[in-house]
């Protein structure tokens, strides 16, 4: 049973790491170039990466919901349940913001549903602002998952 719970925790950590890594790459490496995108290059620099990310996270995130629920169940009655709940609430928040607020903008941009480059840049600015929410939430989710594993494995004690 402990081995399965460890695999579950590592599965959530994998998803959280991929999510936070994607958000950090977006914010620090891609946003600066996306501020100058135009109709003729938006699909190559925005459309292709966002379609690939959507496909990837469509598989990973539902598994994280299950893993997050198992984390809460397995840590119930311990102080670590707080970090497990943060993980579960984090992935729920990331999904609500992504599906409810960001995907509609993705569809407009990828579909060319904007009048000119000025409107495109306005859509991209809104997209980046909304993704900043996911940047902070994914960072908190990842840190909570890492702390849960550190505390469970008593890793701090092993380094002192």
């Amino acid at each position: 049973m402990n081995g399965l719970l460890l695999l579950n925790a590592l599965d959530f950590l994998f998803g959280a790491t991929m999510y936070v890594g994607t958000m950090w790459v977006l914010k620090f490496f891609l946003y600066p170039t996306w501020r100058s995108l135009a109709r003729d290059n938006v699909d190559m620099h925005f459309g292709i990466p966002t379609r690939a990310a959507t496909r990837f996270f469509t598989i990973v995130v539902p598994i994280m919901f299950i893993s997050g629920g198992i984390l809460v169940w397995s840590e119930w009655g311990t102080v670590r349940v707080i970090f497990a709940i943060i993980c579960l609430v984090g992935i729920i928040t990331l999904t609500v913001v992504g599906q409810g607020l960001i995907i509609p903008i993705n569809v407009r941009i990828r579909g060319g549903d904007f009048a000119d480059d000025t409107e495109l840049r306005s859509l991209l600015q809104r997209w980046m602002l909304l993704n900043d929410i996911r940047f902070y939430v994914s960072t908190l989710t990842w840190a909570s998952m890492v702390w849960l594993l550190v505390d469970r494995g008593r890793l701090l004690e092993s380094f002192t």
Side-chain angles (χ1 to χ4, degrees):
M1 184 69 168
N2 285 344
L4 290 175
L5 291 176
L6 175 61
L7 284 176
N8 179 68
L10 292 175
D11 174 69
F12 194 93
L13 179 63
F14 168 76
T17 301
M18 292 300 294
Y19 220 121
V20 75
T22 300
M23 291 297 108
W24 280 57
V25 166
L26 280 173
K27 186 166 183 72
F28 294 115
F29 304 121
L30 296 179
Y31 282 6
T33 62
W34 286 4
R35 289 187 175 90
S36 61
L37 290 180
R39 182 180 293 275
D40 61 337
N41 63 9
V42 72
D43 190 58
M44 176 181 292
H45 298 285
F46 178 87
I48 292 171
T50 58
R51 276 190 292 272
T54 300
R55 277 192 305 271
F56 177 80
F57 286 109
T58 297
I59 294 168
V60 170
V61 167
I63 298 168
M64 289 178 75
F65 282 121
I66 296 167
S67 292
I70 293 171
L71 282 173
V72 171
W73 169 77
S74 66
E75 298 298 342
W76 198 259
T78 72
V79 72
R80 287 185 300 271
V81 75
I82 295 167
F83 298 102
I85 289 171
I86 291 171
C87 289
L88 184 58
V89 171
I91 194 62
I92 291 169
T93 303
L94 292 167
T95 302
V96 168
V97 171
Q99 291 295 313
L101 302 173
I102 293 174
I103 292 292
I105 297 172
N106 284 2
V107 170
R108 279 193 66 192
I109 293 173
R110 291 191 306 232
D113 184 18
F114 45 88
D116 53 23
D117 289 346
T118 302
E119 185 178 358
L120 169 63
R121 289 187 187 113
S122 174
L123 287 169
L124 286 167
Q125 286 295 330
R126 177 155 174 71
W127 191 91
M128 288 184 248
L129 180 69
L130 291 169
N131 262 307
D132 280 350
I133 296 169
R134 294 200 308 175
F135 172 82
Y136 294 111
V137 173
S138 68
T139 301
L140 178 63
T141 302
W142 179 83
S144 294
M145 187 63 224
V146 168
W147 181 253
L148 193 152
L149 287 171
V150 166
D151 188 52
R152 198 170 229 293
R154 296 188 176 103
L155 294 179
L156 285 179
E157 295 169 13
S158 70
F159 284 98
T160 57

